Amino acid sequence: MQRNAALELLLDSTDVIAFFDDDYVPSAYCLQGIEDFFRRHPAVVAVNGLLLADGINTAGIPYEEAISLVDAHDKNGRPDARVICSLDGLYGCNMVYRSAAIGAERFDENLPLYAWQEDIDFAARVGRQGALALTTAFAGVHQGVKAARLAGVRLGYSQIVNPVYLMRKGTLSVKAGIQLIARNLVMNHARAFKPEPWIDRRGRCKGNWIGLLDLLIGRDHPKRILSIRQ
């Protein structure tokens, strides 16, 4: 897994490690803000920054628009490095960790391909070393580019099976896991007959039902998506 390979290379040589998606556009003050934040807040082991906009649930945000949003934000100067609130998990598009808190933890390679919810799992494990937080220290725009994302059937399967896997691991609460599964089931089926152009809702519905069946017969595992046809 790419993120684990990066950790092996970087953990012994840097105090802080940031994971930014390739469609995340950061503020010009991002690196300064991260450095300032971790110096001021020693009890916090990992953070998300402010999202000025997120295109994950839309057709996506064009790069030029993302740049304009970030530039407008940066006109106010470097923001204060304060904590907005504590978090139970982190959003993977812009998460930053103290290297010392990561230690021997690695991203779970039982979550293949798009590795849906790996950010929540990893943050929960590192979060045992200290606080997780949302901060004003840095900001950016997540474009939510749709190219190269996991196809519908496989993602639908992961929407059922991955939360169950994490509940069993103890990195996702039963309440949060059930809510996550229910929300995706309802959304996929409610929109299956008039789906968004950028989402394969019918494929996700099919994957949801394959996942539910696998749960019933005890065959569920995140790696099963590797053998599921689209």
Side-chain angles (χ1 to χ4, degrees), residues 100-177:
I102 294 174
E105 297 293 352
R106 297 293 182 270
F107 289 89
D108 190 339
E109 297 191 8
N110 280 318
L111 301 171
L113 300 180
Y114 192 44
W116 197 68
Q117 298 297 301
E118 72 167 357
D119 47 357
I120 296 297
D121 173 61
F122 185 72
R125 287 183 280 120
V126 176
R128 293 165 183 162
Q129 306 300 318
L132 308 176
L134 176 65
T135 179
T136 57
F138 66 100
V141 173
H142 185 210
Q143 292 178 257
V145 174
K146 300 302 181 285
R149 291 190 178 274
L150 194 60
V153 178
R154 286 176 168 174
L155 180 55
Y157 186 84
S158 295
Q159 287 176 335
I160 302 299
V161 171
N162 288 19
V164 173
Y165 175 76
L166 299 187
M167 284 188 278
R168 290 170 179 160
K169 283 183 67 175
T171 55
L172 182 67
S173 72
V174 173
K175 179 180 178 181

Side-chain angles (χ1 to χ4, degrees), residues 163-164 167 172-185:
V164 173
M167 284 188 278
L172 182 67
S173 72
V174 173
K175 179 180 178 181
I178 290 173
Q179 288 176 339
L180 183 60
I181 291 169
R183 183 167 64 246
N184 283 296
L185 269 172

Side-chain angles (χ1 to χ4, degrees), residues 4 7-8 10-12 15 17 45 97-107 122 125-126 129:
N4 285 341
L7 288 175
E8 296 297 336
L10 296 173
L11 274 175
D12 294 333
D15 294 330
I17 296 177
V45 297
Y97 291 86
R98 288 188 192 276
S99 298
I102 294 174
E105 297 293 352
R106 297 293 182 270
F107 289 89
F122 185 72
R125 287 183 280 120
V126 176
Q129 306 300 318

Side-chain angles (χ1 to χ4, degrees), residues 180-192 201 205 208:
L180 183 60
I181 291 169
R183 183 167 64 246
N184 283 296
L185 269 172
V186 170
M187 187 68 72
N188 290 335
H189 287 75
R191 297 187 177 179
R201 291 289 182 188
C205 288
N208 289 164

